[in-house]
């Protein structure tokens, strides 16, 4: 984290993780899971993020933004049409940007908003016709807008809206148009 001014910071983050697939932690005697599930490789991920956060108007408004790059190796993606069928993708990548703001309109009224845009694709797969297809259930755009108001007697009321853009329902290309 680098803080060029008292009210702002710039950061870089790098992280790695591994995720056993749910089938690898299932009981060996589970009768409905195919034998091949025992040999699924462990998922591995690497994440990079570059972002900034700034406070304005005596900390009444906070704005932030980030660019991110996430790679996953050996994800086992559940097929939307058959929950016992998994597509072993090889590698997936998501690149995106997120911007957000939170602020107090009055001492009691707060508003928070965020917008994320990303593109997730399969970058390596067997079969190879999955390469460059979108990642299952990865929305291109999400947004959120929430507000809260502090009421008397230690109560707070709020409401908001979250939106999620279109998502791919399958990573397998449609044979009619190969998409």
């Amino acid at each position: 984290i680098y803080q060029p001014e008292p009210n702002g910071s710039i950061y870089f983050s790098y992280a790695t993780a591994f995720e056993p697939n749910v089938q690898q932690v299932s009981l060996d005697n589970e009768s409905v899971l195919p034998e091949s599930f025992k040999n699924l490789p462990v998922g591995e991920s690497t994440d990079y993020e570059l972002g900034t956060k700034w406070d304005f108007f005596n900390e009444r408004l906070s704005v932030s933004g980030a660019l991110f790059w996430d790679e996953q190796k050996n994800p086992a993606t559940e097929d939307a049409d058959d929950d016992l069928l998994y597509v072993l993708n090889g590698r997936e990548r998501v690149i995106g940007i997120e911007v957000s703001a939170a602020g107090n309109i009055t001492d009691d009224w707060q508003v928070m908003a965020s917008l994320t845009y990303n593109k997730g694709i399969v970058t390596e797969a067997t079969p190879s016709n999955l390469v460059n297809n979108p990642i299952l259930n990865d929305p291109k755009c999400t947004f959120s807008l929430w507000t809260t108001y502090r009421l008397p007697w230690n109560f707070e009321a709020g409401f908001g809206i979250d939106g999620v853009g279109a998502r791919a329902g399958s990573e397998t290309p449609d044979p009619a148009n190969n998409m």
Side-chain angles (χ1 to χ4, degrees), residues 87-91 121-134 171-174 178-179:
V87 179
L88 298 177
N89 295 324
R91 291 183 184 267
I121 62 169
V122 176
T123 58
E124 188 177 303
T126 302
S128 63
N129 66 342
L130 296 177
V131 174
N132 292 324
N133 284 1
E171 290 179 334
T172 307
D174 182 348
N178 201 26
M179 295 176 66

Side-chain angles (χ1 to χ4, degrees), residues 25-179:
V25 294
S26 298
L27 298 173
D28 282 341
N29 62 356
E30 181 66 51
S31 60
V32 296
L33 296 176
E35 185 68 26
S36 62
F37 279 14
K38 292 180 183 177
N39 299 319
L40 289 177
V42 172
E44 300 174 37
S45 62
T46 304
D47 306 305
Y48 304 90
E49 185 171 324
L50 176 64
T52 186
K53 180 180 176 188
W54 293 84
D55 294 325
F56 299 103
F57 309 115
N58 294 323
E59 298 183 356
R60 293 184 64 82
L61 174 64
S62 178
V63 295
S64 63
L67 301 169
F68 56 88
W69 177 295
D70 303 325
E71 299 247 0
Q72 189 170 30
K73 179 181 174 187
N74 299 326
T77 305
E78 186 176 317
D79 188 300
D81 297 323
D82 182 352
D83 59 1
L84 290 179
L85 178 61
Y86 281 76
V87 179
L88 298 177
N89 295 324
R91 291 183 184 267
E92 297 175 340
R93 178 181 61 229
V94 177
I95 300 173
I97 184 169
E98 179 181 31
V99 293
S100 64
N104 288 355
I105 295 174
T106 69
D107 287 341
D108 295 324
W109 185 14
Q110 184 178 38
V111 177
M112 299 147 284
S114 69
L115 175 68
T116 302
Y117 176 81
N118 60 255
K119 182 174 183 177
I121 62 169
V122 176
T123 58
E124 188 177 303
T126 302
S128 63
N129 66 342
L130 296 177
V131 174
N132 292 324
N133 284 1
I135 297 172
L136 181 68
N137 276 330
D138 179 42
K140 289 183 181 179
C141 185
T142 60
F143 74 90
S144 177
L145 177 63
W146 287 83
T147 185
T148 61
Y149 193 83
R150 191 172 328 148
L151 300 169
W153 306 292
N154 244 358
F155 284 98
E156 192 169 308
F159 66 92
I161 185 169
D162 289 324
V164 179
R167 297 173 283 188
S170 173
E171 290 179 334
T172 307
D174 182 348
N177 58 18
N178 201 26
M179 295 176 66

